[in-house]
Amino acid sequence: MRKIFFVVIGLSAFVALLCWIESCRDNIHLPTSAKTEFVFKDKLSEYNFFKGELRNLNPSPGVTRYELATPLFTDYAVKDRFIALPRDKSIQYTSNGVLNFPDSTIIIKNFAYRNVDNRKVMIETRLLVKDPADKNWKVMDYLWDSTQKDAVKHITGAKIPITLLDDDNNKISTIYQVPNTNDCKRCHYSTGNLTPIGPKARNLNTILEGHGANQLAEWVSQKMLVGLPDLSQVEKMPNWKDSVHYSVTQRARAYLDINCSHCHTKGGDAMNTGLFLEYQEQDKQHLGIMKSPVSAGGGAGGMNYDVVPGDATHSILAYRMNSTEPGTAMPELARSIVHKEAVHLIVQWINEMKQVKK
Amino acid sequence: MKNKFLLGMAAACIAILSCNQGTDKQEQKEFVNTLEFAPGDEAKIAEAFLTLKDSSEIHLREGLYKFDNLSLAQLKHIQISGEGPDKTILDFSQQTQGGEGIRVTDTKNFTIRDMTIRDSKGDLLKINKSEDVTVLNLHAIWQKADSTSGGYAIYPVMCRRVLIDNCYAEGSSDAGIYVGQTDSAIVRNCKASRNVAGCEIENTSHAQVYENEFFGNTAGFLVFDLPGLSKRGGFVKAYHNYIHDNNIKNFAKAGSFGTYWGVGNASPGSGVIILAASNVEIFDNKIENNNSSAIAIASGLAVDDKALEKINDNYFPISSHISIHGNTMTMSDKFPEPAYEHHIGKLLVGIEQMLNASDKERKNKRIPFIMYDGISSNILNQGTKANPDSLCIRQEGDNIFVNADLLNMSKPTKWHPSTDWKDYSCN
């Protein structure tokens, strides 16, 4: 008995030493057990995702910052995204849909806003965990405390009054809506399972500011990603703000893909509407062109078609994006103010669309 | 040791026997977890909804509860219960985000019962992608019935096996009880009033609707198939319902007299409307005092001139295999006022005027009880077959049927609505 005890102690010490020598990734708290369900920590700091002061979001070894070509709009929030991969594991490339992440991956997304003094104020941090116990993705939200020192596990959602600066430095007062865990599931739901939304190859296929190389290529050189074909073979999601390289249609479709298609897709939460807004969708009826709504009720504003080519004023799609009224506003979640730059783009896209004979 | 074991077994047996006495105790035992709350516990209730485990009941004691919204997702064997619609009341007038008051997604074996839910901004109760759903003794109402109401009061969609029993829906700006894109549904012993549509079965297969009362709506009962959706409807039976006095204005949206889609197309004064649906049987109902049309049978072309382009496995715009028999139908002596302002209502008024103008023998009778738009599958192949879509009408009495010849209505010289219904009769 005693002998075993010493052996165990000895082994543990050895492992600890190894970890210390390699400034070990195992510092980061990732799920380890394939047998018991992952239990979320109470505080964000307990995961050791970040070095130094937590609010600086300075990633620890094993945690990698990433960005998307076109992001989801959330009340002009400032977002920081990270992937924490388990030691010696890589992401498997897939051309369609979300990349194939190894078990025990945690995807971290921090939400902050710029206050009237142009200072970044942390609101919430969302985690998506691929639990090795059942291979399913799980969600949790952490709400930053008033001291901005740490964020605490929070499942019930919250309404936070804030005054933010938008992209043109206009002051906007709103009630920011922190999602509850079921709200998270609504968007991250696809054919019965939870899934990440943003990290698809086509949406990561971009060069980050201040980086020389393409983000996906960098991941390959860091051994984070395997199976990447030649970059010319990888689809590229347009940057919706880039009017130099992309047409209005490309930018509008990219915006709709990222902001709408997680629900508006076959198998998604809004499958019942028959309105499908993925970038590759070509069917006019599914894209809403001269399509009557199904169950929009008063949310349709008394109008008859989702998209009337050449006539954004009578297009329900633009009307609902331009509303903040519950029951009308689209997306239903994560937006309490109108994304005016996006509405402008969608209006332009519809108005430039060739009119159909009635 | 052995004795102790036997003793233990005996004790266990007694315990099991005593637990099995009384049905109340049995019901409680059905769920692994039972949580009980009272008014004032709203925050705890919202949290309980989010953290619920499989096989749980949430019981809400008598009183008024105020919520922004509630949601359940990915659970099995769940019951949400109150102490009766006049006792347990959930108010959602504070809703600030989202599409509905209560949202249930991806559940199996879900029951909600014995309470009132009211006044959400969007729909009241949406149940999405679930199996074995029971909605029992639930009142779902908007106290103010106008276009500011949400669309649907009770709204299962993309479900399998749904039972809506002994419920009441009021004030919806679309349909009070709406079953969409679902397979196997029963709506029974329910009432719906002051909605645009009392009850609507849409792209839903194998539905039975019986022993209900739909009254005081714009339209009483609808069976619709719409294009571009996940499944086709059909095999719908409606019987022993009392569908009466559905004559109010279509308030689907303020400032207009009804949009041109969905229930916006329901004329004030409609009892039953069958649109682009197949294999529908309407029998032994009392359909009284719906003063524009007791039963209307229409094709998708009546409301959408592009309907033929939308034909696919899940959509066929021409209504077919419609069987109507044994219903009691009455109508008052004139159209309801709001029908004159509605785009379909105006057509019905025009049909009545044309019939009476072209046949003095009618002596200014009302539009016949059953209005068929006359758009048949002959349109697809320039056919001339009589009754190619197998309508079967077996009704006693006079002034039963009109083929409205809707396609020619805009061409006065060609338009010939006809009350001859021998081709459609299976008497």
Side-chain angles (χ1 to χ4, degrees), chain A residues 155-156 159 177 180 182 185-186 189 268-269 272 285 292-295 300 302-304 326-327 332-334, chain B residues 47 50-51 68 71-72 74 96-99 103 106 128-129 152 155 158 181 202 229 253 259-261 310:
Chain A
I155 60 167
T156 55
K159 294 176 194 175
Q177 308 253 359
N180 67 44
N182 276 353
K185 291 174 187 173
R186 287 180 62 175
Y189 172 98
D269 197 63
N272 65 299
Q285 170 85 5
S292 294
V294 176
S295 51
M303 290 181 279
N304 294 319
E332 288 182 342
L333 297 176
Chain B
E47 185 168 349
L50 294 168
T51 52
D68 182 316
S71 65
L72 287 172
Q74 294 165 319
T96 54
Q97 188 174 343
R103 177 188 174 83
D106 199 17
N128 198 3
K129 298 186 179 117
Y152 307 112
Y155 177 18
M158 305 188 91
Q181 300 176 62
E202 189 169 274
L229 300 185
K253 176 67 194 173
T259 43
Y260 285 67
W261 54 273
K310 297 173 182 172

Side-chain angles (χ1 to χ4, degrees), chain A residues 276-289:
Chain A
F276 301 143
L277 295 172
E278 279 162 318
Y279 192 73
Q280 65 272 23
E281 181 65 59
Q282 291 301 325
D283 183 283
K284 283 191 174 167
Q285 170 85 5
H286 285 321
L287 281 173
I289 295 169

Side-chain angles (χ1 to χ4, degrees), chain A residues 29 32 40 52 68 76 84 148 154 161 176 181 195 223 254 261 265 289 324 350:
Chain A
H29 182 82
T32 48
F40 285 96
L68 304 174
Y76 296 101
Q148 297 273 296
H154 192 84
Y176 180 94
T181 46
T195 167
K223 300 197 165 46
S261 80
T265 181
I289 295 169
T324 55
I350 294 173

Side-chain angles (χ1 to χ4, degrees), chain B residues 35-69:
Chain B
L35 304 162
E36 203 168 319
F37 297 100
D41 292 340
E42 279 86 343
K44 285 188 210 157
I45 296 165
E47 185 168 349
F49 269 65
L50 294 168
T51 52
L52 212 55
K53 302 277 183 222
D54 288 350
S55 193
S56 295
E57 175 177 16
I58 291 182
H59 182 74
L60 303 179
R61 275 185 239 137
E62 178 172 354
L64 176 64
Y65 299 78
K66 297 201 166 189
F67 293 105
D68 182 316
N69 61 72

Side-chain angles (χ1 to χ4, degrees), chain A residues 25-198:
Chain A
R25 275 189 192 187
D26 297 346
N27 255 340
I28 313 167
H29 182 82
L30 298 179
T32 48
S33 172
K35 293 199 178 106
T36 52
E37 198 181 348
F38 178 69
V39 179
F40 285 96
K41 298 278 182 190
D42 289 331
K43 290 182 175 173
L44 184 62
S45 57
E46 294 174 56
Y47 293 94
N48 296 328
F49 292 139
F50 305 105
K51 298 181 289 195
E53 204 180 328
L54 191 62
R55 70 181 307 278
N56 292 336
L57 303 179
N58 188 6
S60 302
V63 179
T64 306
R65 180 185 285 274
Y66 72 99
E67 277 172 42
L68 304 174
T70 285
L72 177 88
F73 174 77
T74 314
D75 287 355
Y76 296 101
V78 180
K79 300 182 184 182
D80 296 274
R81 302 173 183 82
F82 304 90
I83 293 171
L85 282 182
R87 191 184 164 79
D88 298 332
K89 292 277 164 46
S90 332
I91 305 163
Q92 176 72 44
Y93 171 83
T94 44
S95 57
N96 274 322
V98 172
L99 295 175
N100 196 355
F101 289 93
D103 288 351
S104 303
T105 300
I106 298 186
I107 299 177
I108 304 145
K109 191 169 169 189
N110 188 77
F111 291 69
Y113 68 99
R114 290 189 302 134
N115 71 4
V116 290
D117 304 323
N118 201 14
R119 279 215 307 270
K120 186 173 168 183
V121 181
M122 307 303 235
I123 312 173
E124 54 165 330
T125 307
R126 303 178 189 172
L127 301 190
L128 263 171
V129 177
K130 194 171 185 194
D131 191 345
D134 55 8
K135 315 276 177 198
N136 287 328
W137 288 95
K138 294 178 182 163
V139 290
M140 187 49 68
D141 196 72
Y142 290 80
L143 202 57
W144 283 80
D145 61 26
S146 55
T147 66
Q148 297 273 296
K149 289 207 173 350
D150 207 341
V152 180
K153 189 166 87 173
H154 192 84
I155 60 167
T156 55
K159 294 176 194 175
I160 302 176
I162 59 173
T163 301
L164 58 84
L165 294 182
D166 71 7
D167 292 351
D168 298 327
N169 293 325
N170 298 308
K171 285 183 201 171
I172 301 178
S173 292
T174 189
I175 313 266
Y176 180 94
Q177 308 253 359
V178 175
N180 67 44
T181 46
N182 276 353
D183 293 336
C184 300
K185 291 174 187 173
R186 287 180 62 175
C187 298
H188 287 276
Y189 172 98
S190 175
T191 47
N193 291 306
L194 289 189
T195 167
I197 299 169

